[in-house]
Amino acid sequence: MKEIEIKSVLQVFDSFDELQPDIQELMRQSISIRDKAYAPYSEFLVGAALLLENGEIVLGNNQENACYPSGLCAERTAIYHAGANFPEVSILKMALSAKSLKYQLLTPTPPCGACRQAIAEYEVKQKQPIEIYFMGETGKVVKSSSLSNLLPLIFDNSYL
């Protein structure tokens, strides 16, 4: 038997103010679109802002449905919009913010598993990592230089 060690490296910023100005702006946009999410069932709002290689910023928020599996997370809403409208343009950075209408969310909230898989697909497609910044409503911000830190053993097209 052989053991392997998987290591993830994340950076944690104590506040929004520690971020570079361009990331602050991207995060502001994720917060703005987050507050427009359609989440009447979970009351959990998520916003995503993607910076594309061509300078475009693509926004998305979660969209719920009474038939729960029919909804879509903010990350996938944004990333699929980018893929549909800018299919040959790489995604450089992604800013995510989450907020609960039931309690104050101070914990940085990473993408769910389904969103991690979708982000992984685009990292593989574009052959370059996507920087991911995520936060709760306020407080600390976490940065991952690649989705591989959040999902180290991805399932990709090499298995098909």
Side-chain angles (χ1 to χ4, degrees):
M1 177 185 79
K2 179 180 178 183
E3 287 187 11
I4 61 169
E5 181 177 331
I6 298 172
K7 181 178 178 180
S8 293
V9 177
L10 304 171
Q11 293 178 316
V12 180
F13 300 87
D14 287 327
S15 75
F16 178 88
D17 297 330
E18 290 184 21
L19 299 171
Q20 294 293 321
D22 63 325
I23 302 304
Q24 286 182 10
E25 178 55 29
L26 200 61
M27 193 59 78
R28 275 190 207 92
Q29 292 200 37
S30 80
I31 291 167
S32 177
I33 198 69
R34 172 196 76 198
D35 292 337
K36 297 174 185 174
Y38 180 68
Y41 308 106
S42 70
E43 297 183 355
F44 192 80
L45 312 176
V46 181
L50 312 180
L51 174 62
L52 306 184
E53 192 172 45
N54 65 0
E56 291 280 339
I57 294 178
V58 175
L59 305 176
N61 55 26
N62 54 317
Q63 299 293 310
E64 293 183 350
N65 190 291
C67 179
Y68 291 124
S70 297
L72 198 60
C73 298
E75 298 90 328
R76 286 181 284 154
T77 299
I79 207 165
Y80 294 156
H81 178 83
N85 291 286
F86 305 98
E88 302 305 320
V89 181
S90 294
I91 300 166
L92 301 178
K93 300 174 186 196
M94 175 181 284
L96 310 170
S97 61
K99 174 182 179 179
S100 173
L101 298 179
K102 298 175 186 175
Y103 58 91
Q104 188 174 29
L105 180 61
L106 302 177
T107 305
T109 308
C112 74
C115 288
R116 291 177 195 205
Q117 184 62 42
I119 297 164
E121 183 72 20
Y122 280 79
E123 278 196 351
V124 169
K125 175 187 175 210
Q126 66 188 33
K127 297 180 180 78
Q128 73 181 49
I130 299 170
E131 286 183 10
I132 304 168
Y133 297 81
F134 54 93
M135 66 183 288
E137 186 175 343
T138 62
K140 296 181 192 252
V141 179
V142 174
K143 174 192 175 189
S144 175
S145 60
S146 170
L147 187 275
S148 63
N149 288 313
L150 303 177
L151 186 65
L153 300 173
I154 67 167
F155 178 85
D156 64 20
N157 60 8
S158 68
Y159 294 103
L160 301 177

PDB file of all heavy atoms in Angstrom, residues 100-127:
ATOM      1  N   SER A 100     -27.490  34.864   4.502  1.00  0.00           N
ATOM      2  CA  SER A 100     -28.724  34.224   4.952  1.00  0.00           C
ATOM      3  C   SER A 100     -29.691  35.299   5.416  1.00  0.00           C
ATOM      4  O   SER A 100     -29.280  36.273   6.059  1.00  0.00           O
ATOM      5  CB  SER A 100     -28.438  33.249   6.102  1.00  0.00           C
ATOM      6  OG  SER A 100     -29.659  32.765   6.624  1.00  0.00           O
ATOM      7  N   LEU A 101     -30.954  35.119   5.103  1.00  0.00           N
ATOM      8  CA  LEU A 101     -31.976  36.031   5.612  1.00  0.00           C
ATOM      9  C   LEU A 101     -32.438  35.611   7.001  1.00  0.00           C
ATOM     10  O   LEU A 101     -33.233  36.306   7.622  1.00  0.00           O
ATOM     11  CB  LEU A 101     -33.164  36.085   4.643  1.00  0.00           C
ATOM     12  CG  LEU A 101     -32.848  36.605   3.243  1.00  0.00           C
ATOM     13  CD1 LEU A 101     -34.089  36.582   2.365  1.00  0.00           C
ATOM     14  CD2 LEU A 101     -32.226  38.001   3.282  1.00  0.00           C
ATOM     15  N   LYS A 102     -31.916  34.481   7.504  1.00  0.00           N
ATOM     16  CA  LYS A 102     -32.323  33.948   8.807  1.00  0.00           C
ATOM     17  C   LYS A 102     -31.338  34.292   9.915  1.00  0.00           C
ATOM     18  O   LYS A 102     -31.691  34.306  11.081  1.00  0.00           O
ATOM     19  CB  LYS A 102     -32.470  32.431   8.722  1.00  0.00           C
ATOM     20  CG  LYS A 102     -33.533  31.975   7.748  1.00  0.00           C
ATOM     21  CD  LYS A 102     -33.547  30.459   7.628  1.00  0.00           C
ATOM     22  CE  LYS A 102     -34.494  30.011   6.551  1.00  0.00           C
ATOM     23  NZ  LYS A 102     -34.435  28.566   6.341  1.00  0.00           N
ATOM     24  N   TYR A 103     -30.069  34.515   9.563  1.00  0.00           N
ATOM     25  CA  TYR A 103     -29.026  34.794  10.553  1.00  0.00           C
ATOM     26  C   TYR A 103     -27.882  35.519   9.856  1.00  0.00           C
ATOM     27  O   TYR A 103     -27.811  35.537   8.628  1.00  0.00           O
ATOM     28  CB  TYR A 103     -28.514  33.495  11.203  1.00  0.00           C
ATOM     29  CG  TYR A 103     -27.964  32.499  10.211  1.00  0.00           C
ATOM     30  CD1 TYR A 103     -26.616  32.496   9.873  1.00  0.00           C
ATOM     31  CD2 TYR A 103     -28.792  31.564   9.586  1.00  0.00           C
ATOM     32  CE1 TYR A 103     -26.102  31.600   8.949  1.00  0.00           C
ATOM     33  CE2 TYR A 103     -28.285  30.660   8.655  1.00  0.00           C
ATOM     34  CZ  TYR A 103     -26.943  30.692   8.344  1.00  0.00           C
ATOM     35  OH  TYR A 103     -26.450  29.808   7.420  1.00  0.00           O
ATOM     36  N   GLN A 104     -26.993  36.124  10.626  1.00  0.00           N
ATOM     37  CA  GLN A 104     -25.845  36.799  10.030  1.00  0.00           C
ATOM     38  C   GLN A 104     -24.770  35.769   9.698  1.00  0.00           C
ATOM     39  O   GLN A 104     -24.288  35.053  10.574  1.00  0.00           O
ATOM     40  CB  GLN A 104     -25.280  37.866  10.967  1.00  0.00           C
ATOM     41  CG  GLN A 104     -24.222  38.698  10.292  1.00  0.00           C
ATOM     42  CD  GLN A 104     -23.732  39.857  11.147  1.00  0.00           C
ATOM     43  OE1 GLN A 104     -23.744  39.769  12.363  1.00  0.00           O
ATOM     44  NE2 GLN A 104     -23.295  40.919  10.504  1.00  0.00           N
ATOM     45  N   LEU A 105     -24.416  35.685   8.437  1.00  0.00           N
ATOM     46  CA  LEU A 105     -23.435  34.707   7.948  1.00  0.00           C
ATOM     47  C   LEU A 105     -22.057  35.361   7.864  1.00  0.00           C
ATOM     48  O   LEU A 105     -21.808  36.188   6.994  1.00  0.00           O
ATOM     49  CB  LEU A 105     -23.858  34.181   6.574  1.00  0.00           C
ATOM     50  CG  LEU A 105     -22.950  33.157   5.915  1.00  0.00           C
ATOM     51  CD1 LEU A 105     -22.828  31.901   6.775  1.00  0.00           C
ATOM     52  CD2 LEU A 105     -23.469  32.799   4.538  1.00  0.00           C
ATOM     53  N   LEU A 106     -21.185  34.997   8.792  1.00  0.00           N
ATOM     54  CA  LEU A 106     -19.842  35.576   8.839  1.00  0.00           C
ATOM     55  C   LEU A 106     -18.778  34.625   8.301  1.00  0.00           C
ATOM     56  O   LEU A 106     -17.639  35.021   8.099  1.00  0.00           O
ATOM     57  CB  LEU A 106     -19.495  35.972  10.279  1.00  0.00           C
ATOM     58  CG  LEU A 106     -20.445  36.974  10.930  1.00  0.00           C
ATOM     59  CD1 LEU A 106     -20.053  37.227  12.371  1.00  0.00           C
ATOM     60  CD2 LEU A 106     -20.506  38.266  10.135  1.00  0.00           C
ATOM     61  N   THR A 107     -19.129  33.378   8.077  1.00  0.00           N
ATOM     62  CA  THR A 107     -18.182  32.374   7.630  1.00  0.00           C
ATOM     63  C   THR A 107     -18.037  32.410   6.108  1.00  0.00           C
ATOM     64  O   THR A 107     -19.041  32.375   5.391  1.00  0.00           O
ATOM     65  CB  THR A 107     -18.659  30.965   8.046  1.00  0.00           C
ATOM     66  OG1 THR A 107     -18.882  30.956   9.442  1.00  0.00           O
ATOM     67  CG2 THR A 107     -17.651  29.902   7.672  1.00  0.00           C
ATOM     68  N   PRO A 108     -16.806  32.501   5.589  1.00  0.00           N
ATOM     69  CA  PRO A 108     -16.628  32.421   4.138  1.00  0.00           C
ATOM     70  C   PRO A 108     -17.244  31.122   3.611  1.00  0.00           C
ATOM     71  O   PRO A 108     -16.981  30.045   4.141  1.00  0.00           O
ATOM     72  CB  PRO A 108     -15.106  32.435   3.967  1.00  0.00           C
ATOM     73  CG  PRO A 108     -14.600  33.130   5.190  1.00  0.00           C
ATOM     74  CD  PRO A 108     -15.536  32.694   6.288  1.00  0.00           C
ATOM     75  N   THR A 109     -18.074  31.261   2.585  1.00  0.00           N
ATOM     76  CA  THR A 109     -18.867  30.137   2.096  1.00  0.00           C
ATOM     77  C   THR A 109     -18.381  29.712   0.711  1.00  0.00           C
ATOM     78  O   THR A 109     -18.583  30.433  -0.269  1.00  0.00           O
ATOM     79  CB  THR A 109     -20.353  30.541   2.057  1.00  0.00           C
ATOM     80  OG1 THR A 109     -20.714  31.060   3.345  1.00  0.00           O
ATOM     81  CG2 THR A 109     -21.234  29.360   1.722  1.00  0.00           C
ATOM     82  N   PRO A 110     -17.748  28.542   0.617  1.00  0.00           N
ATOM     83  CA  PRO A 110     -17.214  28.083  -0.671  1.00  0.00           C
ATOM     84  C   PRO A 110     -18.314  27.517  -1.574  1.00  0.00           C
ATOM     85  O   PRO A 110     -19.436  27.286  -1.125  1.00  0.00           O
ATOM     86  CB  PRO A 110     -16.238  26.983  -0.256  1.00  0.00           C
ATOM     87  CG  PRO A 110     -16.844  26.421   0.992  1.00  0.00           C
ATOM     88  CD  PRO A 110     -17.473  27.591   1.698  1.00  0.00           C
ATOM     89  N   PRO A 111     -17.995  27.284  -2.840  1.00  0.00           N
ATOM     90  CA  PRO A 111     -18.971  26.674  -3.749  1.00  0.00           C
ATOM     91  C   PRO A 111     -19.363  25.272  -3.287  1.00  0.00           C
ATOM     92  O   PRO A 111     -18.556  24.549  -2.696  1.00  0.00           O
ATOM     93  CB  PRO A 111     -18.216  26.592  -5.083  1.00  0.00           C
ATOM     94  CG  PRO A 111     -17.042  27.494  -4.949  1.00  0.00           C
ATOM     95  CD  PRO A 111     -16.723  27.577  -3.494  1.00  0.00           C
ATOM     96  N   CYS A 112     -20.597  24.894  -3.587  1.00  0.00           N
ATOM     97  CA  CYS A 112     -21.055  23.531  -3.286  1.00  0.00           C
ATOM     98  C   CYS A 112     -20.345  22.539  -4.221  1.00  0.00           C
ATOM     99  O   CYS A 112     -19.634  22.936  -5.149  1.00  0.00           O
ATOM    100  CB  CYS A 112     -22.577  23.433  -3.443  1.00  0.00           C
ATOM    101  SG  CYS A 112     -23.148  23.441  -5.168  1.00  0.00           S
ATOM    102  N   GLY A 113     -20.553  21.278  -3.995  1.00  0.00           N
ATOM    103  CA  GLY A 113     -19.889  20.244  -4.788  1.00  0.00           C
ATOM    104  C   GLY A 113     -20.231  20.296  -6.269  1.00  0.00           C
ATOM    105  O   GLY A 113     -19.354  20.150  -7.124  1.00  0.00           O
ATOM    106  N   ALA A 114     -21.516  20.510  -6.596  1.00  0.00           N
ATOM    107  CA  ALA A 114     -21.918  20.575  -8.006  1.00  0.00           C
ATOM    108  C   ALA A 114     -21.257  21.758  -8.700  1.00  0.00           C
ATOM    109  O   ALA A 114     -20.809  21.653  -9.843  1.00  0.00           O
ATOM    110  CB  ALA A 114     -23.438  20.661  -8.113  1.00  0.00           C
ATOM    111  N   CYS A 115     -21.168  22.881  -8.000  1.00  0.00           N
ATOM    112  CA  CYS A 115     -20.517  24.060  -8.581  1.00  0.00           C
ATOM    113  C   CYS A 115     -19.014  23.840  -8.729  1.00  0.00           C
ATOM    114  O   CYS A 115     -18.405  24.271  -9.708  1.00  0.00           O
ATOM    115  CB  CYS A 115     -20.806  25.301  -7.747  1.00  0.00           C
ATOM    116  SG  CYS A 115     -22.522  25.852  -7.925  1.00  0.00           S
ATOM    117  N   ARG A 116     -18.420  23.154  -7.774  1.00  0.00           N
ATOM    118  CA  ARG A 116     -16.983  22.857  -7.886  1.00  0.00           C
ATOM    119  C   ARG A 116     -16.718  22.041  -9.140  1.00  0.00           C
ATOM    120  O   ARG A 116     -15.752  22.265  -9.860  1.00  0.00           O
ATOM    121  CB  ARG A 116     -16.490  22.112  -6.649  1.00  0.00           C
ATOM    122  CG  ARG A 116     -16.480  22.979  -5.407  1.00  0.00           C
ATOM    123  CD  ARG A 116     -16.057  22.208  -4.176  1.00  0.00           C
ATOM    124  NE  ARG A 116     -16.402  22.953  -2.976  1.00  0.00           N
ATOM    125  CZ  ARG A 116     -15.802  22.825  -1.817  1.00  0.00           C
ATOM    126  NH1 ARG A 116     -14.802  21.957  -1.668  1.00  0.00           N
ATOM    127  NH2 ARG A 116     -16.177  23.540  -0.783  1.00  0.00           N
ATOM    128  N   GLN A 117     -17.583  21.070  -9.413  1.00  0.00           N
ATOM    129  CA  GLN A 117     -17.408  20.250 -10.610  1.00  0.00           C
ATOM    130  C   GLN A 117     -17.563  21.092 -11.876  1.00  0.00           C
ATOM    131  O   GLN A 117     -16.807  20.931 -12.829  1.00  0.00           O
ATOM    132  CB  GLN A 117     -18.404  19.086 -10.619  1.00  0.00           C
ATOM    133  CG  GLN A 117     -18.223  18.138 -11.784  1.00  0.00           C
ATOM    134  CD  GLN A 117     -16.864  17.447 -11.797  1.00  0.00           C
ATOM    135  OE1 GLN A 117     -16.365  17.021 -10.763  1.00  0.00           O
ATOM    136  NE2 GLN A 117     -16.267  17.321 -12.965  1.00  0.00           N
ATOM    137  N   ALA A 118     -18.524  22.022 -11.882  1.00  0.00           N
ATOM    138  CA  ALA A 118     -18.722  22.887 -13.051  1.00  0.00           C
ATOM    139  C   ALA A 118     -17.512  23.802 -13.254  1.00  0.00           C
ATOM    140  O   ALA A 118     -17.052  23.993 -14.383  1.00  0.00           O
ATOM    141  CB  ALA A 118     -19.995  23.714 -12.886  1.00  0.00           C
ATOM    142  N   ILE A 119     -16.988  24.359 -12.165  1.00  0.00           N
ATOM    143  CA  ILE A 119     -15.805  25.213 -12.266  1.00  0.00           C
ATOM    144  C   ILE A 119     -14.615  24.394 -12.758  1.00  0.00           C
ATOM    145  O   ILE A 119     -13.833  24.845 -13.599  1.00  0.00           O
ATOM    146  CB  ILE A 119     -15.499  25.892 -10.914  1.00  0.00           C
ATOM    147  CG1 ILE A 119     -16.651  26.813 -10.500  1.00  0.00           C
ATOM    148  CG2 ILE A 119     -14.191  26.679 -10.993  1.00  0.00           C
ATOM    149  CD1 ILE A 119     -16.617  27.223  -9.030  1.00  0.00           C
ATOM    150  N   ALA A 120     -14.485  23.171 -12.266  1.00  0.00           N
ATOM    151  CA  ALA A 120     -13.399  22.286 -12.707  1.00  0.00           C
ATOM    152  C   ALA A 120     -13.456  22.066 -14.216  1.00  0.00           C
ATOM    153  O   ALA A 120     -12.426  22.072 -14.899  1.00  0.00           O
ATOM    154  CB  ALA A 120     -13.471  20.945 -11.976  1.00  0.00           C
ATOM    155  N   GLU A 121     -14.653  21.886 -14.749  1.00  0.00           N
ATOM    156  CA  GLU A 121     -14.828  21.679 -16.190  1.00  0.00           C
ATOM    157  C   GLU A 121     -14.243  22.855 -16.980  1.00  0.00           C
ATOM    158  O   GLU A 121     -13.568  22.665 -17.996  1.00  0.00           O
ATOM    159  CB  GLU A 121     -16.309  21.505 -16.520  1.00  0.00           C
ATOM    160  CG  GLU A 121     -16.594  21.211 -17.969  1.00  0.00           C
ATOM    161  CD  GLU A 121     -16.194  19.803 -18.408  1.00  0.00           C
ATOM    162  OE1 GLU A 121     -16.040  18.901 -17.557  1.00  0.00           O
ATOM    163  OE2 GLU A 121     -16.040  19.604 -19.626  1.00  0.00           O
ATOM    164  N   TYR A 122     -14.485  24.059 -16.499  1.00  0.00           N
ATOM    165  CA  TYR A 122     -13.988  25.233 -17.209  1.00  0.00           C
ATOM    166  C   TYR A 122     -12.489  25.426 -17.024  1.00  0.00           C
ATOM    167  O   TYR A 122     -11.814  25.890 -17.944  1.00  0.00           O
ATOM    168  CB  TYR A 122     -14.792  26.479 -16.823  1.00  0.00           C
ATOM    169  CG  TYR A 122     -16.093  26.510 -17.586  1.00  0.00           C
ATOM    170  CD1 TYR A 122     -17.164  25.722 -17.191  1.00  0.00           C
ATOM    171  CD2 TYR A 122     -16.225  27.260 -18.741  1.00  0.00           C
ATOM    172  CE1 TYR A 122     -18.345  25.703 -17.911  1.00  0.00           C
ATOM    173  CE2 TYR A 122     -17.406  27.251 -19.474  1.00  0.00           C
ATOM    174  CZ  TYR A 122     -18.469  26.464 -19.050  1.00  0.00           C
ATOM    175  OH  TYR A 122     -19.627  26.436 -19.786  1.00  0.00           O
ATOM    176  N   GLU A 123     -11.947  25.071 -15.866  1.00  0.00           N
ATOM    177  CA  GLU A 123     -10.488  25.124 -15.717  1.00  0.00           C
ATOM    178  C   GLU A 123      -9.828  24.154 -16.693  1.00  0.00           C
ATOM    179  O   GLU A 123      -8.829  24.496 -17.325  1.00  0.00           O
ATOM    180  CB  GLU A 123     -10.063  24.785 -14.283  1.00  0.00           C
ATOM    181  CG  GLU A 123     -10.154  25.936 -13.337  1.00  0.00           C
ATOM    182  CD  GLU A 123      -9.381  25.724 -12.039  1.00  0.00           C
ATOM    183  OE1 GLU A 123      -8.891  24.609 -11.773  1.00  0.00           O
ATOM    184  OE2 GLU A 123      -9.277  26.683 -11.278  1.00  0.00           O
ATOM    185  N   VAL A 124     -10.380  22.962 -16.833  1.00  0.00           N
ATOM    186  CA  VAL A 124      -9.826  21.977 -17.771  1.00  0.00           C
ATOM    187  C   VAL A 124      -9.976  22.492 -19.200  1.00  0.00           C
ATOM    188  O   VAL A 124      -9.032  22.434 -19.994  1.00  0.00           O
ATOM    189  CB  VAL A 124     -10.512  20.598 -17.594  1.00  0.00           C
ATOM    190  CG1 VAL A 124     -10.138  19.648 -18.721  1.00  0.00           C
ATOM    191  CG2 VAL A 124     -10.154  19.995 -16.240  1.00  0.00           C
ATOM    192  N   LYS A 125     -11.154  23.005 -19.535  1.00  0.00           N
ATOM    193  CA  LYS A 125     -11.418  23.506 -20.889  1.00  0.00           C
ATOM    194  C   LYS A 125     -10.446  24.615 -21.273  1.00  0.00           C
ATOM    195  O   LYS A 125      -9.896  24.615 -22.371  1.00  0.00           O
ATOM    196  CB  LYS A 125     -12.857  24.024 -20.970  1.00  0.00           C
ATOM    197  CG  LYS A 125     -13.201  24.669 -22.297  1.00  0.00           C
ATOM    198  CD  LYS A 125     -14.580  25.324 -22.257  1.00  0.00           C
ATOM    199  CE  LYS A 125     -14.827  26.057 -23.556  1.00  0.00           C
ATOM    200  NZ  LYS A 125     -15.679  27.202 -23.394  1.00  0.00           N
ATOM    201  N   GLN A 126     -10.230  25.558 -20.373  1.00  0.00           N
ATOM    202  CA  GLN A 126      -9.385  26.705 -20.725  1.00  0.00           C
ATOM    203  C   GLN A 126      -7.906  26.485 -20.417  1.00  0.00           C
ATOM    204  O   GLN A 126      -7.069  27.324 -20.715  1.00  0.00           O
ATOM    205  CB  GLN A 126      -9.899  27.982 -20.057  1.00  0.00           C
ATOM    206  CG  GLN A 126      -9.790  27.994 -18.548  1.00  0.00           C
ATOM    207  CD  GLN A 126     -10.499  29.197 -17.927  1.00  0.00           C
ATOM    208  OE1 GLN A 126     -11.514  29.677 -18.427  1.00  0.00           O
ATOM    209  NE2 GLN A 126      -9.941  29.697 -16.829  1.00  0.00           N
ATOM    210  N   LYS A 127      -7.594  25.363 -19.814  1.00  0.00           N
ATOM    211  CA  LYS A 127      -6.203  24.982 -19.515  1.00  0.00           C
ATOM    212  C   LYS A 127      -5.478  26.028 -18.662  1.00  0.00           C
ATOM    213  O   LYS A 127      -4.276  26.240 -18.817  1.00  0.00           O
ATOM    214  CB  LYS A 127      -5.420  24.712 -20.805  1.00  0.00           C
ATOM    215  CG  LYS A 127      -5.948  23.547 -21.603  1.00  0.00           C
ATOM    216  CD  LYS A 127      -5.128  23.324 -22.856  1.00  0.00           C
ATOM    217  CE  LYS A 127      -5.623  22.176 -23.662  1.00  0.00           C
ATOM    218  NZ  LYS A 127      -6.797  22.410 -24.458  1.00  0.00           N
TER     219      LYS A 127
END
